[in-house]
Amino acid sequence: MALYEINHLTFTYPLHPIPTLQDINLSIHKGDFVLLFGPSGSGKSTLLRQLKKEVWPVGERTGTLVFEGQLLEHLPNDKSASRIGMVFQNPDQQIVMSTVYEELAFGMENLGFDPKEMQRRIGEISTFLGINHWLYKSTSELSGGQKQLLNLASVMTLYPDVLLLDEPTSQLDPIATQNFLNILGRLNEEFSITIIMTEHHLEEVFPLVDMVYVLEKGMLTYTGKVREAIYTLYKKDVASLMGYLPSVSRLYMQIEHEALASQLPLTPKEAKVWFDKLPEEYFHPLQLELASPSPSEVPILLSCQDIYFQYTKDSPLVLERIRLDVPMGAFLAILGGNGSGKSTFLKVLAGILPALKGKIKTKASIGYLPQNPMALFHEPTVLSQLQNALPQKLSQDEEDELSKLISFLSLQPLLEHHPYDLSGGEMQKVALATVLLTKPDLLLLDEPTKGLDPYFKKQLAQYLNALLQQGKTIIMVSHDMEFVARYATLTTLMFSGKLLSLQPTTAFFSNNVFYTTSIHRTVKARLPHAITLEEVNHLVRN
């Protein structure tokens, strides 16, 4: 008997003329690790929320949802709460208590657990997940990665049979992401916990999963085992889905003329074994050279001299002795772990937070996109939100610019919606449009690709490149290694409030072990300076 049986599920939100989910049919078995993916707005989060009745969205639902042979709506509340756990995209939205211990106890207290049983479970789960040394910390002191791990631990104290995860790594740095996914893999392998997750960053997720489900425009368009799914979707060559497939798998299929699904590599380790055996005649004689530094004659648009910042007089320094010169027309990416000070630095540059010491010199007009796009929303509809970013009396050129931006970002179907009712990716698009309409010379972007699907990321990159061609300058904080490697011209790393190693992007990724791409890990022995799939394709004969 399947754990979940979903039959002819259709769901429509209030006031929406078109169903968000249309005639969904699928079975999920105990112990499966299921990946659910598809373009932004395809209904992934809505489908995931259908699997736990406590978080059912308001709307009209038809069809049946069965959990272990019982209609989900008839599952007793205590069983539903304990057996089906859910971890959301934003770590802060799930934490309700002030200390880690209280947060771990919260769910069990609500279900009436004996205090001794609560203590035993907290001790067991916190030790297994490696969080026992910060049990008595304030939850406000935790980094984004620690908060997400705490959310997982809180769910796990109830010994769930199912874990539902809605883009759980979207706000985590690469190392925290890998640690979080490794734990999910252990929970699935060692305890047969069924895991159903949505994700946009899939390089590290594909090696863990058994089954793949693809959603497009609210419909389930593909179901299959992981290698067969990647192989089939690659052969179909659907532009909106190609970017989801692991870069090492695409590399194999682009080079290997007799590619087999059974031999498809999912990890850099698997791909490296194959790549290192390629005959020399596969490689072009030219070698990719490291990009040279920006010419010294390019004017400096922004200069930071010994910037310090702390939130209170008694708190530790968040930023310390930051020196940075950003040339006009550069696309600078700032990488680093959660809590290293990246977002704080952008706020200081934007003038939202005052520097404790130091000088920031720039004559540029600044546009700032915060990590939480909801901070920009003050109007009841998307259209009024965008119109509010422009002068009250619009010229014809400004009306044309607004229309072009709405078209480019595919915002037309969302114009009459409240911004708070949008998906995470849709919110990000509206927030970006709000900032771009102010026509800044210097664009400060805090995690602009968060919640965006790969297809739109490529479109976003094209738009940002067009801005660069117009003489704009971009500083972006990001955890998205693949996006940075492809499009940024300069990259630096923030560690403990300090900026380290400002370099051209190719040099930066070529010299790193952890902060680099899957492609570079695969090919570095033979192509030491190649960091993207496109670069490898340029150097290898297909």
Side-chain angles (χ1 to χ4, degrees), residues 386-428:
L386 299 178
Q387 290 173 334
N388 193 53
L390 291 168
Q392 287 189 348
K393 292 185 178 180
L394 299 183
S395 67
Q396 185 61 50
D397 286 346
E398 286 166 334
E399 287 184 1
D400 291 345
E401 180 69 20
L402 177 58
S403 297
K404 287 178 183 177
L405 201 56
I406 288 171
S407 175
F408 171 76
L409 296 174
S410 303
L411 298 179
Q412 189 67 42
L414 311 176
L415 293 179
E416 299 305 320
H417 295 191
H418 195 289
Y420 284 13
D421 293 336
L422 306 180
S423 71
E426 291 167 342
M427 283 188 186
Q428 201 74 344

Side-chain angles (χ1 to χ4, degrees), residues 414-487:
L414 311 176
L415 293 179
E416 299 305 320
H417 295 191
H418 195 289
Y420 284 13
D421 293 336
L422 306 180
S423 71
E426 291 167 342
M427 283 188 186
Q428 201 74 344
K429 291 181 185 181
V430 174
L432 181 62
T434 301
V435 174
L436 291 175
L437 286 169
T438 65
K439 298 183 178 179
D441 300 316
L442 174 60
L443 198 55
L444 306 178
L445 307 175
D446 196 350
E447 294 288 352
T449 64
K450 181 184 68 179
L452 300 182
D453 63 70
Y455 184 68
F456 183 75
K457 283 183 192 179
K458 190 172 182 179
Q459 291 182 302
L460 171 63
Q462 292 170 352
Y463 192 81
L464 294 180
N465 185 61
L467 295 177
L468 293 172
Q469 296 301 316
Q470 296 169 19
K472 309 294 185 185
T473 304
I474 300 169
I475 301 178
M476 176 181 74
V477 162
S478 184
H479 293 316
D480 193 334
M481 298 296 101
E482 303 295 330
F483 190 87
V484 170
R486 278 184 173 85
Y487 305 115

Side-chain angles (χ1 to χ4, degrees), residues 49-297:
R49 290 168 70 94
Q50 303 296 320
L51 305 181
K52 184 173 173 65
K53 67 177 185 177
E54 291 87 350
V55 295
W56 274 352
V58 174
E60 181 183 349
R61 182 183 302 100
T62 60
T64 58
L65 287 153
V66 176
F67 180 77
E68 287 193 333
Q70 183 177 15
L71 285 173
L72 189 59
E73 61 201 80
H74 295 158
L75 189 68
N77 292 337
D78 58 340
K79 287 188 177 181
S80 179
S82 61
R83 297 188 64 191
I84 305 172
M86 189 162 190
V87 177
F88 295 93
Q89 183 179 142
N90 188 338
D92 291 304
Q93 291 182 347
Q94 201 162 345
I95 293 174
V96 295
M97 305 301 288
S98 58
T99 70
V100 171
Y101 190 94
E102 291 171 339
E103 184 67 25
L104 291 173
F106 181 75
M108 292 185 287
E109 284 180 337
N110 284 341
L111 292 175
F113 277 59
D114 179 80
K116 289 184 179 180
E117 176 65 10
M118 289 167 51
Q119 289 178 351
R120 186 190 67 77
R121 291 195 182 197
I122 289 173
E124 177 190 29
I125 297 299
S126 64
T127 301
F128 177 81
L129 296 180
I131 66 172
N132 49 306
H133 58 287
W134 31 279
L135 280 178
Y136 298 101
K137 273 190 174 183
S138 168
T139 53
S140 63
E141 296 175 14
L142 304 180
S143 69
Q146 289 173 326
K147 287 177 179 177
Q148 199 66 304
L149 199 54
L150 173 58
N151 287 331
L152 178 62
S154 299
V155 169
M156 288 305 302
T157 59
L158 301 178
Y159 294 172
D161 296 305
V162 182
L163 275 176
L164 310 176
L165 302 112
D166 191 4
E167 295 192 35
T169 70
S170 65
Q171 300 191 37
L172 305 187
D173 65 71
I175 295 173
T177 292
Q178 192 60 65
N179 291 339
F180 188 85
L181 293 174
N182 287 342
I183 288 170
L184 293 183
R186 286 190 65 191
L187 292 174
N188 178 252
E189 286 291 330
E190 297 178 27
F191 304 103
S192 294
I193 293 175
T194 304
I195 297 177
I196 308 166
M197 70 185 298
T198 69
E199 260 298 338
H200 281 315
H201 301 129
L202 299 179
E203 290 282 338
E204 296 86 4
V205 176
F206 270 112
L208 300 174
V209 305
D210 307 307
M211 295 294 296
V212 168
Y213 295 88
V214 179
L215 268 180
E216 297 176 272
K217 297 181 180 179
M219 294 179 283
L220 195 61
T221 58
Y222 184 82
T223 301
K225 292 188 178 296
V226 61
R227 279 185 168 82
E228 287 79 2
I230 295 171
Y231 184 86
T232 302
L233 294 172
Y234 180 84
K235 293 297 183 182
K236 284 185 175 181
D237 194 24
V238 180
S240 61
L241 298 178
M242 192 61 67
Y244 284 100
L245 308 183
S247 55
V248 294
S249 302
R250 284 184 281 153
L251 176 65
Y252 167 78
M253 287 187 283
Q254 287 172 11
I255 294 176
E256 196 65 59
H257 297 300
E258 297 182 3
L260 299 174
S262 60
Q263 296 179 11
L264 196 70
L266 299 179
T267 66
K269 178 183 176 180
E270 294 175 352
K272 182 174 171 55
V273 171
W274 157 76
F275 190 80
D276 286 348
K277 292 178 181 177
L278 287 176
E280 282 300 321
E281 56 262 28
Y282 272 72
F283 295 84
H284 290 292
L286 69 154
Q287 288 295 311
L288 184 70
E289 298 295 334
L290 288 176
S292 57
S294 300
S296 57
E297 62 267 18

